[in-house]
């Protein structure tokens, strides 16, 4: 069967290549056509207000609201302007995603699969955290394992194989730097599928996810406030304001949000605080300067999962439909289950904590050097302090019929400074419109990581036990310093009014210095050491609008990253080399029926070589290759004005090859947390009454997954659904408020118990999804 799949995949890709060849062969006739529709010019003066480009499939619901929407201004951070006439489409193919291209291309004009989820969609779908946003995207899954919060799986790749960016800036490996993040201060979340090194640098074998904060706009001041409360006693509150000041040319945006999200497990919660602000100052029509600052904080008592327990021990308390398979680690558990008595059990110590504080400083300018030449530059500084102080392992011991617990402590002190400068040149080459962006970037990362030198441990009963305290803490220290410099070029050549070539090249230098000392401050054997790499990556592709609204695309892209997704876990004797990745992708994007329907399809083949994979117990194995092939389909339609239907499905066949080690082989196995099938669907209906009411339902299906490379324990497939209803209160009720909305939402309406994620570094336990909860929220704009 695998050979059949490979042949079919190759046939599909060859067909796309043939289509490209046919198009190029037909160029002589095409060249006689006038070349129209060039890219919009780069604007330094304030962009005109435009309707928000609704980024996800759900977004088109907003287009039919009875209450008029306020337009969203174009981002004031450096990026090309989009046409003022850009209108929302069902799948938002007119959105511009900075993480996908520096050319200012819309999703439809980009030869790759890109999805952008807007703040409006986050509010309507009830996405409270970035992880929940990812779960609504096409083919993306996520989990908040406390050791690697906000981890993602996409196209067969997970965690640090996917770059997490903040306003287009990478701060380090995802599994070491990302945190649970509230969505209230975000304008959009962008998903770029497949190797994304051209834009975001090393580490993007599976793609990138870019978190974009809310930006200033030019015009009247607008304010918004949001509040919510749920049946777990969680609450969220947010206030935001932005617009033009009394100072000519000076615009601002300010947001503050606070949340306390309680877990369904006893004594678990996450509290967040996010304060962000930005000022844009237009000195003249050719010069704009800007500055931004953000402070983020999260404090929590973490949930580390439910232990795998022998079915023979659980007896009548054994569950079905959550996990299956057999497990051996410390002891042989045989066939395993999740014991229903552990659904709400907290195995963490009483004095546990999980804390992070982050500060961002960004600033830059946009300068029009000439009508066809624009210079953009931004400098940034980032600092973070993080710490974990927990009992992290909870492994059932079949010889004692108790749970073995083990403590761990680690902290981060991180500093990052850098600069990104773009030179954008619009020109005409032999009568063809062309845009070239040259980017020079550099950054310096300093990372200090004190961690536990000893691991206090104990045994407790499966239920009804004294949680106790951490115990004696002894520490050692590791450090890493990473220098990064890159020069990249990205170009778009419009050969005809319908056919464009898009490509780019990135030349990068990465320098790493590591050191490690023991608890007495003595340098460990093999340290310090230094290593350098110079990867060259790029992308070449095309877009062809065969008929108005129907666009075919293909691309070949490469990526590179440091082979270990956690450089601090590598032993000094283990080689630290570059991983290389390449992808072939082809697809189609179609907008039709007077912009009331839209669908997209893509097929891809990704290969990543020289991969380090989690072996459990804070150790790494080398896997020779990781292969991923799949297809993605998304569609959205509004057959009648009140009704909105949308859905998407993704299939991926991901596996290891040449993955051999002493004592066995994992070749042919599937990487952890990678389901073959992920599907989302939803429907909503709006009643145009004096107080407009909308009701909706969304469903999600995630296929079977494994929690480790061994593939012996399966996290079973699950299907969950949410329902919601909201009412828009007319302005006549609250004269001072332009828009007011009350929403009631039921999450996981069937109260499904399921496994949402497995951390391969902690293979003895599984993270469970939240049960049914009820939520009431209110939102106001004025």
């Amino acid at each position: 069967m695998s050979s059949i799949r490979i042949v079919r995949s190759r046939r599909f890709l060859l067909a796309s290549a043939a289509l490209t060849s046919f198009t190029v062969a037909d160029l002589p006739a095409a060249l006689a056509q006038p070349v129209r529709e060039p890219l919009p010019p780069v604007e330094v003066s304030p962009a005109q207000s435009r309707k928000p480009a609704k980024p996800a499939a759900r977004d088109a619901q907003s287009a039919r609201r009875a209450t008029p929407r306020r337009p969203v201004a174009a981002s004031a951070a450096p990026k090309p302007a989009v046409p003022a006439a850009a209108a929302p489409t069902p799948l938002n193919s007119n959105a511009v995603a900075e993480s996908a291209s520096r050319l200012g291309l819309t999703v439809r004009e980009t030869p790759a699969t890109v999805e952008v989820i807007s703040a409006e969609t986050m509010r309507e779908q009830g996405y409270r955290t970035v992880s929940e946003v990812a779960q609504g995207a096409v083919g993306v899954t996520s989990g908040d394992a406390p050791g690697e919060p906000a981890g993602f799986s996409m196209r067969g790749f997970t965690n640090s194989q996917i770059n997490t960016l903040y306003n287009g800036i990478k701060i380090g490996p995802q599994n070491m730097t990302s945190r649970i993040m509230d969505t209230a201060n975000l304008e959009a979340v962008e998903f770029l599928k497949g190797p994304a090194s051209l834009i975001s640098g090393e580490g993007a074998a599976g793609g990138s996810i870019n978190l974009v904060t809310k930006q200033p706009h030019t015009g009247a001041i607008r304010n918004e406030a949001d509040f919510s409360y749920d049946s777990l006693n969680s609450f969220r509150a947010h206030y935001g304001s932005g617009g033009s000041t009394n100072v000519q040319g000076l615009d601002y945006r300010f947001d503050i949000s606070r949340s306390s999200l309680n877990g369904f497990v006893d004594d678990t919660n996450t509290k967040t605080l996010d304060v962000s602000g930005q000022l844009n100052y237009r000195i003249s029509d050719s010069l704009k300067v800007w500055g931004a600052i953000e402070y983020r904080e999260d404090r929590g008592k973490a949930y580390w999962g439910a232990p795998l327990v022998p079915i023979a021990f659980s007896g009548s308390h054994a569950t079905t439909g959550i996990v299956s398979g057999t497990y051996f680690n410390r002891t042989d558990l045989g066939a395993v289950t999740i014991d229903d008595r552990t659904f709400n059990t907290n195995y963490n110590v009483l004095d546990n904590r999980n804390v992070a504080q982050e500060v961002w400083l960004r600033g830059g300018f946009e300068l029009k050097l000439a009508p066809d030449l624009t210079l953009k530059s931004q400098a940034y500084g980032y600092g973070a302090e993080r710490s974990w102080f927990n009992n992290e392992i909870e492994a059932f011991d079949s010889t004692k019929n108790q749970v073995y617990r083990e403590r761990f402590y680690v902290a981060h002190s991180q500093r990052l400074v850098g600069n990104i400068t773009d030179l954008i040149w619009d020109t005409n080459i032999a009568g063809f419109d062309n845009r070239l962006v040259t980017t020079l970037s550099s950054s310096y990362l300093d990372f200090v990581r004190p961690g536990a030198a000893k691991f206090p441990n104990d045994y407790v009963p499966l239920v009804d036990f004294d949680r106790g305290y951490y115990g004696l803490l002894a520490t050692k220290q590791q450090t890493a310093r990473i220098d990064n410099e890159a020069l990249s070029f990205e170009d778009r050549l419009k050969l005809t009014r319908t056919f464009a070539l898009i490509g780019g090249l990135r030349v990068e230098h990465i320098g790493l210095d590591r050191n490690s000392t023991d608890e007495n401050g003595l340098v460990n054997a093999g340290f310090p050491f230094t290593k350098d790499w110079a990867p060259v990556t790029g992308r070449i592709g095309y877009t062809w609008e065969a008929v108005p609204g129907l666009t075919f695309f293909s691309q070949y892209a490469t990526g590179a990253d440091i082979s270990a997704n956690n450089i601090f876990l590598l032993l000094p004797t283990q080689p630290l080399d570059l991983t290389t990745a390449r992808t072939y992708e082809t697809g189609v994007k179609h907008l039709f029926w007077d912009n009331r329907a839209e669908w997209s399809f893509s097929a891809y083949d990704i290969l990543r070589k020289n991969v380090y994979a989690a072996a459990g117990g804070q150790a790494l194995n080398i896997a020779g290759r990781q292969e991923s092939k799949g297809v993605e389909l998304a569609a959205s339609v509004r057959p009648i004005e009140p009704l909105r239907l949308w859905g998407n499905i993704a299939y991926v066949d991901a596996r290891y090859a040449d993955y051999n080690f002493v004592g066995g082989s994992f070749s042919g196995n599937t990487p952890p947390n990678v389901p073959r099938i992920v599907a989302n669907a939803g429907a909503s209906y709006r009643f145009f009454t004096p107080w407009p009411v909308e009701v909706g339902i969304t469903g999600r299906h995630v296929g079977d997954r494994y929690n480790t490379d061994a593939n012996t324990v399966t996290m079973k497939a699950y299907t969950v659904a949410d329902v919601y209803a909201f009412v828009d209160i007319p302005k006549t009720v609250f004269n001072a408020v332009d828009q007011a909305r009350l929403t009631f939402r039921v999450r996981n309406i069937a109260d499904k118990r399921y496994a949402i994620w497995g951390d391969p570094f902690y293979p003895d336990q599984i993270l469970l999804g939240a049960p049914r909860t009820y939520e009431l929220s209110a939102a106001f704009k004025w």
Side-chain angles (χ1 to χ4, degrees):
M1 290 298 294
S2 62
S3 62
I4 294 174
R5 283 193 296 268
I6 293 171
V7 169
R8 288 176 177 172
S9 174
R10 287 177 176 171
R11 286 176 178 172
F12 196 94
L13 295 171
L14 287 173
S16 172
L19 178 62
T20 308
S21 300
F22 171 80
T23 304
V24 174
D26 194 43
L27 280 179
L31 295 181
Q33 304 177 43
V35 180
R36 299 195 299 269
E37 301 173 3
L39 285 174
V42 179
E43 297 289 351
V44 172
S45 57
Q48 297 297 315
S49 294
R50 61 184 175 89
K51 293 183 180 180
K54 301 297 179 184
R58 280 76 63 191
D59 280 349
Q61 298 175 23
S62 303
R64 65 177 193 278
R65 303 284 184 248
T67 304
R69 300 289 180 149
R70 291 187 179 273
V72 177
S75 170
K79 72 164 124 179
V82 295
T89 67
L91 292 181
N92 194 41
S93 58
N94 65 4
V96 176
E98 281 189 29
S99 58
S101 173
R102 296 186 185 278
L103 292 166
L105 302 177
T106 66
V107 169
R108 191 162 52 249
E109 295 169 325
T110 304
T113 301
V114 185
E115 183 177 6
V116 186
I117 296 182
S118 70
E120 190 70 18
T121 295
M122 297 179 210
R123 186 182 71 161
E124 290 185 357
Q125 296 300 313
Y127 299 149
R128 298 166 295 181
T129 66
V130 171
S131 294
E132 291 180 353
V133 175
Q135 291 165 17
V138 182
V140 183
T141 58
S142 66
D144 284 321
E148 300 180 349
F152 307 102
S153 176
M154 187 164 71
R155 290 195 168 181
F157 298 89
T158 57
N159 294 99
S160 290
Q161 298 159 20
I162 300 168
N163 271 349
T164 299
L165 311 175
Y166 299 85
N167 295 295
I169 301 169
K170 180 184 176 182
I171 62 173
Q174 175 277 328
N175 65 322
M176 301 190 68
T177 60
S178 65
R179 305 292 299 180
I180 295 176
M181 184 175 177
D182 196 281
T183 59
N185 293 48
L186 296 179
E187 180 64 33
V189 179
E190 303 170 352
F191 296 83
L192 172 61
K193 311 291 184 64
S197 291
L198 174 63
I199 305 301
S200 59
E202 62 86 20
S208 65
I209 298 176
N210 187 32
L211 311 179
V212 184
T213 54
K214 292 183 177 178
Q215 305 288 322
H217 72 271
T218 299
I221 292 177
R222 301 168 191 158
N223 304 281
E224 56 186 270
D226 306 271
F227 309 92
S228 69
Y229 184 82
D230 71 14
S231 54
L232 292 174
N233 294 322
S234 300
F235 77 86
R236 299 174 67 225
H238 162 250
Y239 169 75
S241 178
S244 298
T245 68
N246 292 329
V247 178
Q248 181 66 33
L250 183 64
D251 305 326
Y252 79 97
R253 178 72 199 192
F254 172 78
D255 290 273
I256 181 170
S257 60
R258 184 80 169 89
S259 71
S260 178
L261 303 178
N262 293 328
F264 61 93
V265 172
D266 296 337
D267 191 29
T268 58
N269 61 72
T270 300
K271 298 178 180 179
T272 67
L273 171 65
D274 194 340
V275 182
S276 60
Q278 181 167 327
L279 291 174
N280 293 345
Y281 183 41
R282 296 181 310 281
I283 296 175
S284 67
D285 289 342
S286 60
L287 177 61
K288 177 168 62 180
V289 296
W290 61 276
I293 184 171
E294 182 174 5
Y295 173 80
R296 285 200 301 263
E297 177 183 303
D298 67 87
R299 299 177 180 273
K301 292 182 174 293
Y303 164 56
W304 289 85
L308 295 170
V309 178
I311 292 177
F313 176 84
S314 291
S316 62
H317 292 284
T319 60
T320 60
I322 301 178
V323 298
S324 66
T326 59
Y327 182 67
F328 177 90
N329 191 11
R330 299 175 188 280
T331 59
D332 187 359
L333 303 186
V336 293
T337 187
I338 299 296
D339 193 298
D340 63 14
R341 292 171 292 179
T342 67
F343 282 165
N344 305 106
T345 303
N346 188 349
Y347 291 90
N348 212 339
V349 291
L350 290 169
D351 53 347
N352 78 89
R353 62 180 181 272
N354 194 348
V355 180
Q357 295 174 303
E358 303 169 275
V359 176
W360 271 105
L361 292 173
R362 297 181 296 121
F365 67 87
E366 304 177 23
L367 176 62
K368 197 77 145 178
L369 298 172
D372 58 356
L373 197 63
T374 303
L375 180 67
K376 299 184 177 183
S377 183
Q378 69 165 317
Y380 57 86
Y382 169 79
E385 301 291 331
R386 314 179 190 96
S387 67
W388 291 257
F389 185 82
N390 297 275
N391 184 91
E392 299 191 359
I393 294 177
E394 46 206 52
F396 190 86
D397 188 314
S398 59
T399 62
K400 297 177 177 290
N401 285 336
Q402 289 187 312
V403 176
Y404 169 80
R405 301 194 308 169
E406 187 175 284
R407 324 286 196 257
F408 187 68
Y409 163 81
V410 69
H412 297 166
S413 181
Q414 180 183 354
R415 300 294 181 268
L416 173 70
V417 294
N419 177 269
I420 301 173
T421 299
D422 298 326
L423 182 64
I424 305 169
W425 183 32
D426 289 307
T427 187
N428 190 284
I429 300 177
F432 304 121
D433 287 312
N434 189 79
R435 173 172 289 177
L436 172 67
V437 178
T438 302
T439 302
L440 181 63
S441 63
S442 63
S443 66
Y444 173 77
L445 172 65
D446 184 271
F447 212 114
V448 179
R449 183 181 184 263
K454 295 183 174 62
F455 312 104
N457 59 78
D458 59 11
Y459 287 86
V460 296
L462 184 66
V463 293
D464 299 329
F465 56 88
D466 180 3
R467 289 167 55 191
Y469 295 90
Y470 185 97
L472 181 66
L473 175 63
T475 63
K476 56 185 179 180
Q477 183 167 284
Q478 297 170 305
T479 62
R481 292 174 176 84
I482 302 176
D483 291 303
N484 189 291
E485 299 85 29
L487 176 65
S488 64
F489 305 91
E490 191 177 7
D491 189 87
R492 181 186 193 249
L493 179 63
K494 195 77 177 289
L495 293 178
T496 76
R497 64 184 180 85
T498 62
F499 186 85
L501 292 175
I502 298 104
L505 187 70
R506 181 185 182 99
V507 181
E508 192 165 6
H509 168 262
I510 307 166
L512 171 68
D513 295 287
R514 279 188 64 200
N515 201 0
S516 175
T517 57
D518 62 18
E519 59 184 304
N520 298 313
L522 301 176
V523 176
N524 290 317
F527 291 94
F529 76 81
T530 299
K531 187 143 188 177
D532 290 85
W533 302 270
V536 178
T537 58
R539 173 173 69 189
I540 182 68
Y542 73 86
T543 58
W544 176 43
E545 191 174 15
V547 297
L550 179 64
T551 301
F552 293 91
F553 73 92
S554 295
Q555 71 156 328
Y556 170 79
T558 61
D561 60 288
I562 299 175
S563 54
N565 68 359
N566 190 327
I567 57 174
F568 291 112
L569 297 186
L570 273 178
L571 300 175
T573 56
Q574 289 181 292
L576 184 59
D577 298 320
L578 272 183
T579 283
T580 58
R582 66 100 183 110
T583 185
Y584 298 101
E585 181 176 7
T586 190
V588 60
K589 304 168 186 179
H590 190 196
L591 174 65
F592 62 105
W593 199 6
D594 194 25
N595 289 5
R596 292 167 58 187
E598 189 170 19
W599 64 276
S600 67
F601 170 84
S602 62
Y604 59 88
D605 182 332
I606 305 175
L607 173 64
R608 184 174 184 241
K609 297 180 180 179
N610 187 37
V611 181
Y612 273 102
Q618 300 293 304
L620 296 170
N621 280 334
I622 296 179
R625 300 198 314 273
Q626 188 173 342
E627 302 170 351
S628 178
K629 300 177 177 67
V631 294
E632 296 174 351
L633 175 66
S636 178
V637 63
R638 189 173 66 249
I640 57 176
E641 185 65 17
L643 179 63
R644 172 79 164 82
L645 305 172
W646 63 269
N648 57 65
I649 186 169
Y651 169 85
V652 60
D653 180 9
R655 61 187 63 237
Y656 291 117
D658 300 334
Y659 190 168
N660 304 309
F661 53 91
V662 177
S665 172
F666 289 155
S667 295
N669 286 10
T670 300
N673 295 303
V674 175
R676 282 183 178 265
I677 297 288
V678 178
N680 291 281
S684 64
Y685 193 91
R686 187 171 181 86
F687 298 91
F688 294 103
T689 54
W691 287 32
V693 174
E694 180 163 315
V695 294
I697 182 171
T698 61
R700 177 169 178 80
H701 174 80
V702 177
D704 289 349
R705 296 134 293 139
Y706 300 106
N707 71 323
T708 68
D709 292 338
N711 287 187
T712 58
V713 174
T714 300
M715 298 181 289
K716 302 295 289 182
Y718 66 90
T719 302
V720 293
D722 299 347
V723 296
Y724 65 88
F726 61 72
V727 55
D728 288 326
I729 302 174
K731 181 176 174 59
T732 54
V733 177
F734 301 111
N735 290 330
V737 178
D738 296 327
Q739 297 179 41
R741 174 175 295 175
L742 296 179
T743 303
F744 178 70
R745 189 180 310 274
V746 183
R747 303 178 189 273
N748 189 3
I749 190 171
D751 200 22
K752 172 72 174 178
R753 291 287 186 173
Y754 62 96
I756 191 170
W757 198 259
D759 187 338
F761 287 111
Y762 298 94
D764 304 283
Q765 56 229 47
I766 300 294
L767 275 80
L768 303 181
R772 178 171 53 225
T773 57
Y774 305 91
E775 181 186 80
L776 184 64
S777 63
F780 306 92
K781 293 185 179 182
W782 68 97

